[in-house]
Amino acid sequence: MQRRDFIRRSVFAACVTAGHGMLSAEATSVTLRRSRGGTLTSLDPHRGISATDMEINADLFVGLTAVDARGQIVPGLASDWTISADGRRYEFRLRRNLRWSDGSSLEAAEVVASFRRMLAPDTGMLLAYRYDAIVGALALRQGKAGAAALGVRVGTAPGSVIFELLRPETDLLKLLAVAYVVPVRLIERLGRDWAKPPAIVVNGAYRPTSWAQNGRLTLAANPRWYGAGAQAMAPQLEWITGIDDATRMRLFRSAELDIAQLSEASVLKLARVELAPFLRSVPFYGGGWLGLNLRRGALADRRVREALSLAIDRRVLCDKVRGLGEQPTESLVPQAVADYPVRAAPAYAAWPMARRLAAARTLLGAAGISAAQPLRLVGIFSSNPLTQRTFLAVDAMWAPLGVRLEARGMESRAYNMALNAGDFDLMDYGPFSAVQSATSFIGRFQSGSFLNYSGYANAEVDRLIAAAEASLDPATRARGYLAVERVLLRDLPVIPLYSGVTHRLLAARVRGWVDNPGLSLPSQFLSLGGRA
């Protein structure tokens, strides 16, 4: 057995050398090939519903600001900006001679039109609530006022755009990096077909040329992007989605992928042994929660929610079940978010499991739940084996207390429809942020948030969030969010489980990669070279 294993590993090592050292015909291609988990659902950056959509959007579109390779905010479509002393007025000046990928001029009026479309209720952008500091934004997205009342307008100076805010928003420059400007005139003419190649028009580093039914999106460098020629980047790009980890690893081994995300423990374990020089593992702005529907049955009882949280052994879940190197946590904001230095945690976070289980049993007994009178819950998730294993493990942890969890995997669109309809008891909730921001995790519990799937409503939380976000000082805002987090961990609209880690295989020929905790590194920063 040992000899066979040695031979297998030796043959595999030779394959790796052939694929990544001597460079096959695929490896000498001018095309950068990337793949990640999940399915690409739309190239319209205002309608994306997944991390896959949002990661690929960053290759196609630009906002007024942008994020550099190290996650810092830099000028995007705007060359510079000024902020009033009270933090409530921003004036952005567009770069000169901005062009869409079809050669037409990109004007300030299209920036304004993009924000009106992005915040319109029929667009349904997931992160629309994050822009409520803008005058008229809340009323627009709730359908209570028209787009003309939105506090985004063309300035008097050529190429200027002015934002008027109700209150200071210290995250605004970050948020504008993912508020992508789109060709509204084309959208008005073509409707939803505008976002399909070859019709699609973009303003980012790459333009799509084809999108195959097998999930392969082919792109070419956009010569009309404002940054074209300023830095080395691959002339062609392919994103391959809709394939599993084992397939991604196989394609990476054969030099048919340059960057491959891994999210399955068994494949990651093999990569750590056999592809260690190519593996990059980085904490990121994301985590894992169990979302609880507070509008249904026993979950409306806070004692039940606390008992469910108490009974989960997060260390076992991370180390034995998921196996991805995630860090157990009972806080809402992932550890990678550095601008939120102090995190809340419930008093029982440090208790040994025996004490936690005893407390959980007492709480459930007071709510009339026991092995003799069980509680049955349905948990939904976007189908994948890892989440199914996670739900099965949670069910095993709850079963001795009289709580059983039925796990139902669903196709991603059906899953999102069920979330929006509130048709679940529990849900797999994987919060993440494209930029460093505690608001992305705390702010979603406001009463009117698109992402408040639990149906949670607490006037105290709304007030505390509003008070925190009124501050001009990011440190003061963080302290305000800490007060909010303490209330949320008392009420438990969600059960936090872990802080996330991303794992990617990176080919030796890829140049420019920088590990950072963002959603990903946009392809514009990457180029292809020879042997490392």
Side-chain angles (χ1 to χ4, degrees):
M1 180 66 73
Q2 288 181 340
R3 178 174 175 80
R4 282 201 303 270
D5 185 61
F6 172 77
I7 292 172
R8 181 182 66 82
R9 291 179 184 274
S10 298
V11 170
F12 175 71
C15 292
V16 171
T17 301
H20 293 278
M22 296 175 66
L23 296 176
S24 66
E26 288 284 355
T28 58
S29 163
V30 296
T31 302
L32 173 66
R33 295 185 172 94
R34 306 184 64 169
S35 183
R36 60 157 294 135
T39 302
L40 177 63
T41 65
S42 177
L43 298 181
D44 184 337
H46 294 171
R47 296 187 186 275
I49 60 175
S50 70
T52 301
D53 296 337
M54 295 179 190
E55 185 167 354
I56 294 175
N57 287 160
D59 283 337
L60 312 182
F61 295 95
V62 187
L64 289 171
T65 61
V67 180
D68 70 10
R70 298 188 180 277
Q72 302 301 307
I73 297 298
V74 296
L77 297 178
S79 59
D80 60 287
W81 52 84
T82 56
I83 307 172
S84 64
D86 64 0
R88 293 175 55 188
R89 185 180 187 276
Y90 287 65
E91 182 170 2
F92 294 86
R93 288 164 288 278
L94 298 185
R95 297 173 186 267
R96 293 185 178 184
N97 301 317
L98 287 172
R99 298 283 172 184
W100 292 102
S101 58
D102 65 356
S104 60
S105 178
L106 193 164
E107 306 291 345
E110 291 177 287
V111 177
V112 174
S114 290
F115 273 85
R116 291 179 174 182
R117 176 184 188 259
M118 184 180 81
L119 299 177
D122 59 350
T123 300
M125 181 182 176
L126 287 178
L127 297 179
Y129 76 97
R130 291 296 313 276
Y131 301 86
D132 282 355
I134 300 172
V135 169
L138 176 61
L140 172 57
R141 70 180 182 84
Q142 291 182 342
K144 297 178 180 179
L150 185 67
V152 182
R153 58 184 172 83
V154 175
T156 55
S160 71
V161 179
I162 294 172
F163 285 69
E164 300 287 352
L165 307 185
L166 296 167
R167 53 175 172 76
E169 174 51 89
T170 56
D171 275 355
L172 184 64
L173 295 178
K174 298 176 184 178
L175 293 170
L176 294 181
V178 292
Y180 297 115
V181 176
V182 297
V184 175
R185 288 176 294 181
L186 180 68
I187 296 170
E188 290 172 347
R189 180 161 57 88
L190 297 181
R192 293 204 176 199
D193 287 341
W194 83 272
K196 301 174 183 177
I200 188 169
V201 172
V202 301
N203 55 31
Y206 287 91
R207 59 179 182 84
T209 57
S210 67
W211 185 6
Q213 289 186 343
N214 65 3
R216 186 181 297 260
L217 178 69
T218 304
L219 308 99
N222 175 14
R224 296 187 173 95
W225 172 51
Y226 65 79
Q231 60 192 37
M233 56 184 277
Q236 297 175 24
L237 172 65
E238 282 186 351
W239 274 100
I240 301 170
T241 64
I243 58 177
D244 60 20
D245 269 34
T247 304
R248 282 195 291 276
M249 188 164 173
R250 176 178 59 79
L251 292 175
F252 183 83
R253 285 172 169 171
S254 61
E256 295 173 74
L257 278 178
D258 296 297
I259 303 172
Q261 183 196 50
L262 301 180
S263 54
E264 261 296 317
S266 60
V267 178
L268 176 62
K269 184 177 180 179
L270 185 62
R272 283 171 169 161
V273 174
E274 299 180 334
L275 289 171
F278 308 108
L279 183 63
R280 312 295 283 263
S281 298
V282 184
F284 85 113
Y285 305 142
W289 301 340
L290 285 179
L292 308 178
N293 190 345
L294 275 56
R295 298 158 293 202
R296 286 174 59 149
L299 293 178
D301 188 329
R302 182 154 58 94
R303 296 171 301 178
V304 174
R305 302 196 298 272
E306 184 175 340
L308 297 181
S309 181
L310 278 161
I312 296 175
D313 190 328
R314 290 159 177 80
R315 175 58 67 185
V316 168
L317 200 64
C318 290
D319 293 353
K320 305 298 184 183
V321 178
R322 296 182 60 83
L324 294 177
E326 297 151 336
Q327 292 302 305
T329 185
E330 299 196 47
S331 300
L332 293 166
V333 181
Q335 293 299 317
V337 181
D339 66 359
Y340 187 65
V342 180
R343 287 160 177 77
Y348 53 76
W351 292 2
M353 281 307 301
R355 182 180 176 187
R356 291 172 67 114
L357 290 172
R361 188 171 283 106
T362 298
L363 287 168
L364 290 173
I369 298 166
S370 66
Q373 295 177 294
L375 170 65
R376 300 191 180 277
L377 301 171
V378 173
I380 64 171
F381 61 98
S382 183
S383 293
N384 72 80
L386 179 61
T387 307
Q388 178 146 10
R389 289 201 304 273
T390 302
F391 273 41
L392 290 174
V394 170
D395 173 55
M397 293 174 187
W398 287 347
L401 303 177
V403 179
R404 300 309 306 263
L405 175 61
E406 177 190 343
R408 292 182 185 172
M410 308 174 74
E411 183 273 330
S412 57
R413 288 188 180 276
Y415 175 62
N416 279 282
M417 290 176 62
L419 292 185
N420 292 322
D423 189 15
F424 63 94
D425 294 316
L426 285 88
M427 56 165 286
D428 173 46
Y429 201 158
F432 66 90
S433 178
V435 295
Q436 178 171 214
S437 172
T439 311
S440 296
F441 304 93
I442 301 296
R444 63 184 66 208
F445 295 101
Q446 287 177 297
S447 300
S449 166
F450 277 76
L451 300 176
N452 185 4
Y453 300 117
S454 296
Y456 178 71
N458 185 320
E460 181 186 10
V461 164
D462 290 344
R463 180 185 62 79
L464 287 171
I465 289 176
E469 294 179 351
S471 173
L472 281 167
D473 175 37
T476 302
R477 171 181 282 205
R479 288 193 294 272
Y481 283 155
L482 181 62
V484 178
E485 188 181 20
R486 288 179 176 132
V487 176
L488 292 171
L489 293 179
R490 179 198 70 197
D491 291 351
L492 289 172
V494 300
I495 297 175
L497 301 176
Y498 57 84
S499 287
V501 179
T502 58
H503 306 279
R504 294 182 181 87
L505 292 170
L506 185 71
R509 74 186 191 121
V510 175
R511 300 288 182 268
W513 183 269
V514 177
D515 289 333
N516 72 69
L519 186 62
S520 180
L521 185 65
S523 302
Q524 70 192 56
F525 298 112
L526 305 176
S527 61
L528 300 173
R531 189 171 177 178

